[in-house]
Amino acid sequence: MEKNMRVLFVSRGYPTEKNPMFGNYEAVQARALTKRGIQVTVVVIRRIRNYFFSYQFVEKHFQDEGVDVYFINSTISYFIAPFYIFRNKRLEEKALCKFVRESLKNGICFDLVHAHIIVPAVFAIPLKTQFNLPLVVTEHWSRVNQDTVDSYIHENGKVYQYADYVMAVSHFLATNITKNFGVKCHVVNNMVDDLFFEGNLEEHQDRPTVRFIAVGSLLPIKGFDMLIRAFAKMKMKSKADLFIIGMGSEYQNLQDLINSVLLQEKIHLLGYKSPEEISNLLSDSDCYVLSSKSETFCIACIEAMAKGLPVIATDCGGPKEYINEETGVFVPVDDEDALADAMDRMVLDGKKYNKDRIRNYCREHFSEDVIVGQLSRIYHETISKYK
């Protein structure tokens, strides 16, 4: 692999101590590429309004396992914002161009821009038009994963036309992108951090309960309220526990729902956890449950599979890539009774799933080595064609 390639990630976010889960997809990919000889710089553009500064950029830089990460806050006064940004993306585009211009002055030349998710990606268009940089885009936002997209998504979809290579994390999402935007879309699946393949696969023979686990932002689209109601309907709930990792706007509503069904001792909202903590909690669990209304892929599912866990998932799109009779079972979206029945069956005969087979399947399809190999080929081919 070529050692001197420099790739600029344009991202929606990056994990921090305050929020260790946001932007984790991009972080895992950036670290994996860097470990294998491709130098990755990540830029996160955020718009902040205040009462004092009329217009400025505030840059924060840190390193994460060899990855240079920059948070650039484009700060603008409340008073001039309505006049300055009547066409909405100028601040973010200007911040990105300024960053690349300063990098060039410091002798840092990027070979390619890899933008993640439609809205941060659209900010990167000037990096292609003004700096002649190849642009590849990875899409993994659930809002794009619709039969018909809204006007906001449709407007920003112009970035797919500018991109030299468009990727989606599942065939389900790729089909919708091609249908809605008329572009060829390739599939490069999510990747599992090597961390989740560490350690032996554990059996919990002596434990009196089966532990179900779910991970994700506590938002309506994730269906955690449905999951809680389904748990309450289980016939075998006395022999089960449920742990939900994540934070979000629905936290208090979900806690109130848990209280209302009197399951405070059985259902636990754990809040944010680091990847290391999530890895340990998955190791100590028996089954992963995905209750979403829509998913482009769901990286948390394959992290669970790396720990040998079977998956119960709603038929919400992306998981069709990897859930089969050896790795788990599907239930209809928003069907509490079907989900409760599937969880009951998992309590009774979940031991039929072979943990080694589940882990091996995950390693063969979604490990760092597999996905980095695919990305490396795409980068080299795109740069070669562009030159």
Side-chain angles (χ1 to χ4, degrees), residues 37-65:
I38 294 178
Q39 295 174 275
V40 178
T41 299
V42 179
V43 173
V44 180
I45 303 291
R46 301 183 297 184
R47 184 184 303 184
I48 297 176
R49 296 184 183 184
N50 61 31
Y51 290 102
F52 304 105
F53 301 110
S54 60
Y55 174 69
Q56 67 171 15
F57 294 124
V58 179
E59 183 179 295
K60 176 185 176 184
H61 169 249
F62 62 93
Q63 275 209 333
D64 177 34
E65 297 183 25

Side-chain angles (χ1 to χ4, degrees), residues 44-156:
V44 180
I45 303 291
R46 301 183 297 184
R47 184 184 303 184
I48 297 176
R49 296 184 183 184
N50 61 31
Y51 290 102
F52 304 105
F53 301 110
S54 60
Y55 174 69
Q56 67 171 15
F57 294 124
V58 179
E59 183 179 295
K60 176 185 176 184
H61 169 249
F62 62 93
Q63 275 209 333
D64 177 34
E65 297 183 25
V67 179
D68 281 303
V69 183
Y70 293 84
F71 280 81
I72 302 179
N73 298 332
S74 51
T75 304
I76 191 166
S77 164
Y78 280 108
F79 303 112
I80 71 167
F83 306 100
Y84 187 83
I85 321 177
F86 61 92
R87 299 294 290 179
N88 52 18
K89 303 173 188 69
R90 290 174 60 191
L91 268 182
E92 288 84 351
E93 292 174 355
K94 188 169 183 178
L96 271 177
C97 288
K98 182 176 185 291
F99 176 82
V100 171
R101 197 174 294 113
E102 292 297 322
S103 297
L104 287 169
K105 287 180 181 178
N106 293 322
I108 298 173
C109 301
F110 297 107
D111 298 293
L112 176 139
V113 177
H114 186 170
H116 290 265
I117 300 187
I118 189 171
V119 175
V122 82
F123 303 150
I125 291 175
L127 301 186
K128 174 174 179 170
T129 58
Q130 295 183 32
F131 296 93
N132 204 35
L133 286 171
L135 173 64
V136 301
V137 175
T138 292
E139 190 54 72
H140 44 102
W141 191 16
S142 296
R143 191 167 168 182
V144 181
N145 195 29
Q146 310 294 330
D147 288 335
T148 304
V149 296
D150 58 49
S151 58
Y152 176 74
I153 296 298
H154 192 269
E155 177 191 351
N156 285 286

